[in-house]
Amino acid sequence: MNRSAPNAHIMAAINYFALLPLVYFIPDLVAPFTGSNKLVHVAVVLALIVPVISYIVIPFAIKILTRITK
């Protein structure tokens, strides 16, 4: 089965629209738990956002896009 990679521009748009709510809401949700240390706050926020994008959003988007472009 020869599947081509989805268009890079479409993947960039999916990344943008997936990251937008995560970057907007997660820092405020995590702030009460991380205290006033900005480095810890940023590290925790990134530790939550990066796996969501890498292991949930991108594989799901690729799966859907490959079905559409068959």
Side-chain angles (χ1 to χ4, degrees):
M1 185 179 331
N2 188 7
R3 292 184 180 175
S4 62
N7 186 330
H9 300 298
I10 293 172
M11 291 306 297
I14 290 170
N15 269 324
Y16 175 80
F17 288 112
L19 280 169
L20 193 61
L22 295 175
V23 171
Y24 188 78
F25 291 112
I26 289 179
D28 292 337
L29 294 172
V30 172
F33 303 105
T34 58
S36 62
N37 189 335
K38 186 143 178 115
L39 179 62
V40 170
H41 180 73
V42 170
V44 170
V45 168
L46 284 175
L48 294 172
I49 292 174
V50 170
V52 168
I53 292 296
S54 299
Y55 297 116
I56 298 171
V57 174
I58 296 302
F60 181 74
I62 290 172
K63 181 186 259 187
I64 296 299
L65 289 173
T66 54
R67 283 186 188 169
I68 291 172
T69 58
K70 275 187 176 178

